Amino acid sequence: MTTEEKEVYAAYEEINKAMIEKDRAAMERYFDKNLTFTHMSGKNTYKKRDGIWIRVE
């Protein structure tokens, strides 16, 4: 694995750990305030507004 690939993998692992542990500070290090999250099913999309994730139609 290249150095860059190792960095990406390490970040991926840290994000997963933060989600499982509900570690908000760790999550905010990785996600921009304008992030839009779409569930892998494609059925639900969320945006963060005023610190709260809301579903976007």
Side-chain angles (χ1 to χ4, degrees):
M1 238 193 276
T2 67
T3 300
E4 290 83 8
E5 289 170 329
K6 289 177 185 175
E7 289 173 0
V8 169
Y9 184 76
Y12 172 79
E13 290 296 315
E14 188 172 336
I15 290 167
N16 280 333
K17 181 180 176 190
M19 286 191 292
I20 291 166
E21 296 177 359
K22 297 182 173 112
D23 183 344
R24 181 179 179 151
M27 295 290 288
E28 289 182 351
R29 283 196 300 271
Y30 286 96
F31 298 124
D32 184 76
K33 66 179 180 177
N34 295 315
L35 172 75
T36 298
F37 171 78
T38 302
H39 188 272
M40 66 184 196
S41 69
K43 294 181 181 179
N44 299 313
T45 300
Y46 301 88
K47 270 188 120 26
K48 193 173 185 181
R49 292 200 181 121
D50 298 323
I52 299 169
W53 285 98
I54 60 165
R55 187 171 174 187
V56 179
E57 298 297 326

